[in-house]
Amino acid sequence: LKAAEQGNSVAQCNVGYHYLHGEGTIKSREEAKKWFKKSADNYHTKGEAEYGFQLYLDRDYVNAEKYFSLAANDNDSFAQRMLGEFHLWGLGGIKKDYNKAFELYKKSADQNDAVGIREVGKCYELGYGVEKNQIEALKYYNEAAEKGDKYSMRILAFRYMDGKGVDVDYEIRKPESIDEVISNVKNDDIADISTLIREITPQEAENPNLVKCVIDNSGYAMYFSRSPIPFERNKGQSPTYAHIGLYVYRRDALLNMSK
């Protein structure tokens, strides 16, 4: 706080985070907003992006766009994809420009921003600023999901249920599949997490949209890959398994993962 009061822009932004999340102090969005503005006015990129977002939440789109633009020019991935939204929907007096929206989302995605990656996928799916390409859309949705984007996971779940760009994963709909994945944990004192696999053909193994799984002799997963695994010198001699995206977790496992 002392450094922030002395005008340190990084410290001012950090104080904003503390107030925003109630860490070590009372939770106050107004105080957070005040400190983010101080940081932004001292030309700190994250401060500009965070203050822009507070203005966005207040629906002050004109001023939000100004701060997002400052941060985006400094290559802030969050500001870039937020600015992409402004161009996509025509917010803050900006004329709708799908090409510019795609360009900004792509810049964000190239910096491994999970939401930016997802938005590039959406552009490919719907043809915003780029030619429609369901294969590319699926690739970006998968990448975003692997980085933890829950919305992309939801999109993928519906795609596998409806067969949009992928083979329908009927296994996940079967009641017996749910029973099996639960019993795997109930009947194993060691396993904290259970999931499902199914045997696939060598032709299916070549499909990068199917996640493959290698298991040991006890049925425990060793590793996953979109590439054909395990590597075989002589094709067809070993079974190949595809992962079915259904999980069961013990409570303690979830708590440990969230730490």
Side-chain angles (χ1 to χ4, degrees):
L1 183 59
K2 187 175 181 180
E5 290 173 340
Q6 292 174 347
N8 184 291
S9 62
V10 176
Q12 289 169 336
C13 188
N14 288 337
V15 170
Y17 286 130
H18 279 276
Y19 275 111
L20 187 65
H21 301 293
E23 297 174 351
T25 185
I26 58 169
K27 190 173 183 178
S28 171
R29 181 171 169 259
E30 286 306 310
E31 282 295 310
K33 184 177 173 182
K34 180 183 78 175
W35 284 105
F36 286 143
K37 185 177 189 306
K38 287 178 182 288
S39 177
D41 290 344
N42 282 323
Y43 308 107
H44 181 55
T45 301
K46 281 296 179 186
E48 292 166 346
E50 292 297 340
Y51 184 58
F53 187 62
Q54 296 307 312
L55 293 170
Y56 171 84
L57 294 176
D58 292 336
R59 298 190 179 184
D60 184 356
Y61 298 133
V62 172
N63 286 309
E65 185 272 334
K66 292 178 183 177
Y67 282 94
F68 281 141
S69 293
L70 289 171
N73 287 338
D74 286 334
N75 220 27
D76 183 85
S77 63
F78 171 70
Q80 286 168 336
R81 51 132 158 135
M82 288 303 301
L83 203 56
E85 186 171 330
F86 277 66
H87 285 277
L88 185 68
W89 300 110
L91 302 176
I94 292 178
K95 186 179 179 180
K96 283 187 179 182
D97 186 339
Y98 291 158
N99 292 329
K100 186 65 176 178
F102 178 78
E103 176 189 326
L104 287 160
Y105 287 142
K106 188 68 169 58
K107 285 182 178 180
S108 177
D110 288 345
Q111 296 190 73
N112 291 317
D113 184 285
V115 178
I117 293 168
R118 178 232 295 166
E119 292 303 311
V120 171
K122 184 167 71 177
C123 287
Y124 274 112
E125 179 182 8
L126 301 176
Y128 290 156
V130 68
E131 187 176 347
K132 283 186 180 182
N133 188 322
Q134 298 306 318
I135 294 175
E136 282 296 298
L138 187 65
K139 182 184 81 172
Y140 280 97
Y141 285 144
N142 273 313
E143 186 178 348
E146 288 171 356
K147 292 183 182 299
D149 182 64
K150 294 180 180 178
Y151 188 77
S152 294
M153 296 177 192
R154 183 172 179 269
I155 291 172
L156 289 171
F158 280 109
R159 278 178 168 254
Y160 278 104
M161 287 180 68
D162 299 333
K164 189 175 181 181
V166 296
D167 292 333
V168 176
D169 196 343
Y170 290 109
E171 296 294 327
I172 205 167
R173 293 184 175 185
K174 295 179 180 178
E176 56 266 33
S177 295
I178 298 173
D179 291 339
E180 180 183 352
V181 76
I182 292 173
S183 66
N184 287 342
V185 169
K186 289 178 66 177
N187 299 327
D188 190 322
D189 294 333
I190 298 175
D192 291 325
I193 303 171
S194 173
T195 189
L196 297 176
I197 57 173
R198 65 180 176 90
E199 190 168 348
I200 57 175
T201 66
Q203 291 73 29
E204 288 179 295
E206 299 293 332
N207 183 357
N209 294 323
L210 280 178
V211 176
K212 273 68 74 176
C213 177
V214 169
I215 59 174
D216 64 17
N217 290 334
S218 299
Y220 290 100
M222 298 174 67
Y223 56 95
F224 299 85
S225 175
R226 294 188 179 279
S227 300
I229 54 173
F231 175 78
E232 292 186 272
R233 293 185 182 277
N234 300 308
K235 295 286 185 180
Q237 291 190 352
S238 299
T240 303
Y241 299 100
H243 178 229
I244 298 171
L246 181 63
Y247 290 90
V248 166
Y249 301 85
R250 292 189 193 274
R251 179 178 180 274
D252 289 344
L254 283 175
L255 293 175
N256 288 331
M257 290 172 66
S258 67
K259 290 180 181 178

